[in-house]
Amino acid sequence: MDDKTRLYIYAFLSRIFTEQLDDKALRDLKNNEGLLETIGEETAAWFRETEEEALKEALNVDYNSLFVVNNHPIESAVMDSKNEILVGLQNPVMQFYFSHGYDLNLESSKLYVPDHAGLEFGFMQSMISGDDREAQAEFLQKHLINWIVPFLVAVKPMAETPFYRDLCDFTVEFLLSDYSQLMEKRGEANG
């Protein structure tokens, strides 16, 4: 997969996990048949067959149930047995950002923790723009794959809409494939 496509997918995931879909995001998604097919056939069919208002309501209820009320896509909350959210430089993700020159301004964000899935996907987008393959592979291995894969596997059965069920599978498959591709390129470069 080329870097432009990877960048687009990480940007998409960052947006999707950050907040529920607004009218513009919903229309953009509904009009992107290729992306819907990539996420899943059931999702594409559901978007084709369902009115926009019904889609919006079902998606927003499902998003809030999956990622706001019942679960939180936050690495430290998932990985810490006490469900404690770490902030500042005590958070390993924040340390990783800092050591790679990533300027994260949480004050201008809707998200107030550095290890929210939306911010971690945004960090990967930034690393692709900077062409830092070593950092990308390291971040995927130490952070995203380590926590969001099991998180999404656990969340998927709770999803009420085809979109969020398929999104869980799509995200897991994409991350594992992306990591594998980065490791292959690393091997080629060292070999």
Side-chain angles (χ1 to χ4, degrees), residues 7-128:
L7 191 113
Y8 177 77
I9 292 171
Y10 278 112
F12 170 73
L13 292 174
S14 178
R15 169 58 184 90
I16 289 297
F17 281 93
T18 296
E19 64 182 336
Q20 66 189 25
L21 296 172
D22 59 19
D23 291 338
K24 181 185 180 329
L26 179 61
R27 274 192 305 279
D28 289 348
L29 190 56
K30 190 169 174 64
N31 292 328
N32 192 334
E33 185 73 25
L35 178 58
L36 292 171
E37 288 287 338
T38 300
I39 293 169
E41 291 178 23
E42 189 181 358
T43 291
W46 184 61
F47 266 77
R48 275 192 305 273
E49 299 162 2
T50 308
E51 293 294 321
E52 196 168 307
E53 273 306 307
L55 278 174
K56 181 180 177 181
E57 182 176 338
L59 288 169
N60 289 341
V61 167
D62 210 16
Y63 174 88
N64 284 292
S65 173
L66 291 171
F67 304 124
V68 178
V69 177
N70 297 313
N71 311 287
H72 304 283
I74 299 169
E75 181 176 346
S76 57
V78 171
M79 300 302 289
D80 186 280
S81 61
K82 294 178 276 185
N83 198 26
E84 190 172 83
I85 297 172
L86 302 173
V87 295
L89 287 178
Q90 70 179 358
N91 186 309
V93 174
M94 192 65 160
Q95 290 175 6
F96 197 96
Y97 295 160
F98 184 74
S99 68
H100 289 84
Y102 186 62
D103 185 24
L104 181 64
N105 182 357
L106 290 174
E107 290 177 13
S108 67
S109 172
K110 294 177 182 182
L111 306 172
Y112 300 105
V113 292
D115 57 347
H116 188 283
L119 293 174
E120 290 195 19
F121 289 129
F123 175 72
M124 282 299 294
Q125 178 187 0
S126 175
M127 290 293 99
I128 294 167

